[in-house]
Amino acid sequence: MFKYGKEMAIGFVPIFILFLQFFVGVNTIPLVLLAVIVGGLLFMAKTRGNLATVGGGSRGKARPPKPLSFDQIGGQDRAKQELVEALDFLIHVDQISKFGIRPLKGILLTGPPGTGKTLLAKAAAHYTDSVYVAASGSEFVEMYVGVGASRIRELFKEARQKAAKQNKESAVIFIDEIDVIGGKRDGGQQREYDQTLNQLLTELDGIHTSDTPRILLIGATNRKEMLDSALLRPGRFDRHIAVDLPDKKGRAHILNIHAQNKPLHSEEVNLDKIAEESFGFSGAQLESVMNEAAIYAMREEGEVINQRHLSMAIDKVMMGERTDREATHEERERVALHELGHAIAAELIRPGSVSQVALLPRGQALGYVRHNPQQDKYLYTKPFLEGQIMIALGGAAAEEMFYGGRSTGSRGDFDQAMSIVRSMVESGLTDLGIIDSSMMTPDKWADVNGRILNELMERVKRMLESNREVFTSALSVLTTEETLSGDRFRSLLGNAVPEEQLLAAQ
Ligand code: ATP
């Protein structure tokens, strides 16, 4: 409600002064002069205050940040190699001017959050023996036109001053979330953003090979498509480096880095297995897994971190902290059958893929199945995606089998199944053939979703029906033990009938 209070006050004060001057007859000139002086002082104080934060708080902190080398960054081998190649331009400056190569001014790191873009920028500063100055795009956002632009000027000035003070020949300026200031200019409402970006372009254009210190701007974003083309053209951000989610080898490397200062149970802990189970995790999430595992070990007053702590930490990072929600006996049984539906379908479609079945409230869920991707996968075939949909529908199918109807517990599963249908349609994997999905009407979407989901629901129900006795034997174990490891669950599964056998028998 008071979001625009400041603006309203700014508008109201001049009107009030004019009213006093012309209608009441008060001489307001001394008042106006006083207001201008106070306003000016406040503005200067605010600008200084803000600038102290630009630069990653480098002015405020007593201790300089610890230098970080590329060895302390796990995975990202290709990104590191590309970055080092680019940085060599900054180091071998004589060679560069001999060949008349223009200086490298900017490097853009693109990728999902928590993949190590800030770490790479810090390591770049260390590798090139440069001073490091950092800011985030959001720090430049101000309502007043011109403030963002002056902060950009200050940031570059700070880098130059810091380099001179520390006797360094180069400076790395890192701007995280650069899309906030470098977004496409529309020339309309966003004048402040435009001025900030223009100032950044001016600063980039003012960088020359002969200058000391040589300045390199590193920008980071996870929305490259939002950036203005003026920023992306050669001569500005010359190199674009993708910093992706780590693969299994990368994940193991990152886990090992963050395990270095932690007491692990040397014989029992298998970080490769944890890397396997944490498919899709970013570096920041993997760091969190190691940290949470250490907290679990400490809470249990143990001496070392065990595999069990790491496994619990994966659940926590994936699904959120355990909650205290007390479900009724009926709800617990329904949730157990629902989760067994997912788990049995998963194990029959992809044997060996279930890593845990749990009947514990966590985040929004009352129970969950953790799947264990045997290998990282980046391309999916139609049968694979159909299998994924069947696993997602397995919970609802089990509820229908035992209760004759579903519950709200399947909502998330249906969202997941429908997003897979969408990706099948967009990849031309349905009987619609190759189609521009943006031209599909809602009716057409409803039709294709309905057809695919109903058919797969029937298939998964048939599969679960022929394994009804597995539910009965696993239910009591799951409700008593609350968590079943993948191996324990497989032992209960016994001689379950996979789908191919069912089809062959028909
Ligand atoms: P954002 O886009 O959200 O700013 P980012 O890509 O800049 O994220 P970082 O700030 O570099 O991510 O990483 C956050 C934390 O995650 C790091 O401090 C580190 O602990 C951990 N981390 C991320 N990636 C890696 C990695 N490749 N190796 C080791 N640790 C990593």
Side-chain angles (χ1 to χ4, degrees):
M1 187 180 157
F2 297 110
K3 195 174 165 199
Y4 299 107
K6 203 151 100 183
E7 287 86 343
M8 280 165 67
I10 290 170
F12 176 74
V13 168
I15 292 169
F16 183 62
I17 290 171
L18 286 174
F19 175 77
L20 286 179
Q21 176 81 42
F22 294 109
F23 293 98
V24 185
V26 179
N27 180 8
T28 54
I29 293 172
L31 200 68
V32 171
L33 281 175
L34 188 70
V36 169
I37 294 169
V38 172
L41 287 173
L42 282 175
F43 179 76
M44 278 165 63
K46 185 168 189 286
T47 312
R48 275 167 184 255
N50 280 332
L51 285 174
T53 62
V54 170
S58 47
R59 288 175 191 204
K61 282 185 186 162
R63 260 185 314 148
K66 241 174 91 187
L68 186 126
S69 76
F70 284 117
D71 297 339
Q72 288 156 272
I73 304 176
Q76 307 300 357
D77 291 343
R78 198 194 34 76
K80 279 195 269 184
Q81 188 193 339
E82 276 185 52
L83 187 56
V84 167
E85 276 168 21
L87 294 174
D88 284 338
F89 279 88
L90 206 67
I91 298 173
H92 307 299
V93 69
D94 294 341
Q95 290 263 64
I96 288 189
S97 50
K98 193 168 122 199
F99 281 90
I101 298 171
R102 63 174 158 70
L104 177 70
K105 296 176 179 179
I107 298 178
L108 185 66
L109 305 177
T110 60
T115 42
K117 298 183 288 297
T118 310
L119 296 183
L120 285 168
K122 284 184 182 164
H126 178 58
Y127 180 78
T128 53
D129 192 25
S130 308
V131 291
Y132 176 75
V133 181
S136 169
S138 48
E139 290 170 33
F140 298 95
V141 178
E142 265 290 343
M143 184 174 65
Y144 304 106
V145 175
V147 177
S150 84
R151 285 191 195 150
I152 292 276
R153 268 195 301 277
E154 277 295 320
L155 183 65
F156 277 76
K157 197 166 130 199
E158 180 183 349
R160 291 191 179 95
Q161 283 174 348
K162 216 170 151 186
K165 214 161 129 196
Q166 294 181 21
N167 242 338
K168 301 269 184 182
E169 290 189 349
S170 51
V172 166
I173 298 178
F174 175 61
I175 304 185
D176 202 0
E177 300 177 42
I178 195 149
D179 47 285
V180 177
I181 50 169
K184 291 194 175 87
R185 285 172 291 185
D186 58 6
Q189 301 291 309
Q190 306 289 348
R191 275 196 62 214
E192 163 59 1
Y193 288 71
D194 291 357
Q195 285 208 4
T196 311
L197 174 57
N198 288 343
Q199 187 59 43
L200 183 64
L201 297 176
T202 311
E203 293 288 348
L204 275 173
D205 292 343
I207 299 173
H208 302 290
T209 331
S210 52
D211 285 353
T212 309
R214 294 181 300 282
I215 289 191
L216 176 71
L217 177 66
I218 300 186
T221 178
N222 44 25
R223 299 190 299 174
K224 184 177 161 190
E225 69 292 345
M226 301 280 289
L227 294 182
D228 196 286
S229 51
L231 254 188
L232 298 174
R233 79 151 170 78
R236 268 116 186 215
F237 277 116
D238 276 305
R239 293 281 190 286
H240 300 177
I241 299 177
V243 189
D244 290 323
L245 289 174
D247 58 9
K248 188 180 152 199
K249 201 169 132 231
R251 293 196 295 276
H253 190 181
I254 296 172
L255 286 168
N256 273 298
I257 288 175
H258 291 289
Q260 271 165 14
N261 61 351
K262 297 184 175 62
L264 297 186
H265 190 301
S266 54
E267 282 121 55
E268 194 214 52
V269 166
N270 181 350
L271 289 183
D272 282 341
K273 189 151 193 316
I274 298 298
E276 196 171 282
E277 291 183 9
S278 50
F279 175 74
F281 276 31
S282 66
Q285 285 174 311
L286 294 166
E287 188 272 338
S288 182
V289 166
M290 291 307 303
N291 202 48
E292 293 298 335
I295 293 174
Y296 282 130
M298 195 182 75
R299 269 193 212 150
E300 287 180 10
E301 297 180 8
E303 290 292 310
V304 285
I305 300 172
N306 296 324
Q307 191 77 0
R308 188 173 49 86
H309 298 132
L310 288 160
S311 196
M312 280 155 54
I314 292 193
D315 285 343
K316 172 154 186 214
V317 174
M318 205 186 271
M319 313 275 303
E321 184 59 287
R322 276 188 64 171
T323 57
D324 293 331
R325 272 186 287 163
E326 271 293 323
T328 61
H329 177 72
E330 290 75 33
E331 274 177 338
R332 264 171 70 79
E333 196 168 284
R334 189 185 264 270
V335 174
L337 288 166
H338 180 106
E339 298 311 328
L340 285 171
H342 287 305
I344 296 170
E347 200 58 36
L348 295 180
I349 293 168
R350 284 188 242 304
S353 68
V354 171
S355 102
Q356 193 180 69
V357 190
L359 189 58
L360 296 169
R362 218 177 242 288
Q364 288 300 309
L366 290 171
Y368 56 92
V369 177
R370 183 139 64 76
H371 302 276
N372 177 12
Q374 277 112 19
Q375 61 202 79
D376 293 2
K377 240 176 137 46
Y378 303 100
L379 276 182
Y380 303 100
T381 59
K382 184 177 172 182
F384 184 92
L385 292 175
E386 286 179 341
Q388 284 306 102
I389 295 178
M390 283 166 70
I391 296 170
L393 298 180
E399 286 190 53
E400 281 188 25
M401 270 167 63
F402 289 93
Y403 298 96
R406 305 168 195 155
S407 66
T408 50
S410 307
R411 199 172 140 187
D413 301 333
F414 294 152
D415 284 346
Q416 195 194 343
M418 282 188 280
S419 93
I420 302 176
V421 172
R422 175 171 283 275
S423 110
M424 283 170 73
V425 170
E426 286 168 351
S427 317
L429 295 179
T430 64
D431 54 10
L432 297 175
I434 302 166
I435 187 168
D436 180 354
S437 63
S438 65
M439 291 170 73
M440 277 174 59
T441 61
D443 283 352
K444 188 90 183 150
W445 271 115
D447 176 52
V448 69
N449 263 315
R451 263 189 304 118
I452 296 180
L453 297 187
N454 288 339
E455 188 206 311
L456 293 172
M457 181 61 123
E458 285 312 311
R459 267 173 66 184
V460 72
K461 264 200 231 163
R462 268 201 306 276
M463 196 161 83
L464 296 181
E465 270 298 352
S466 14
N467 292 290
R468 202 175 244 273
E469 74 286 357
V470 181
F471 281 94
T472 345
S473 58
L475 180 64
S476 60
V477 187
L478 181 58
T479 41
T480 338
E481 295 184 18
E482 293 195 327
T483 45
L484 298 179
S485 71
D487 291 336
R488 175 104 171 88
F489 170 67
R490 275 180 285 280
S491 74
L492 294 170
L493 208 57
N495 302 324
V497 193
E499 199 188 20
E500 306 91 70
Q501 277 182 33
L502 275 179
L503 290 175
Q506 276 169 11

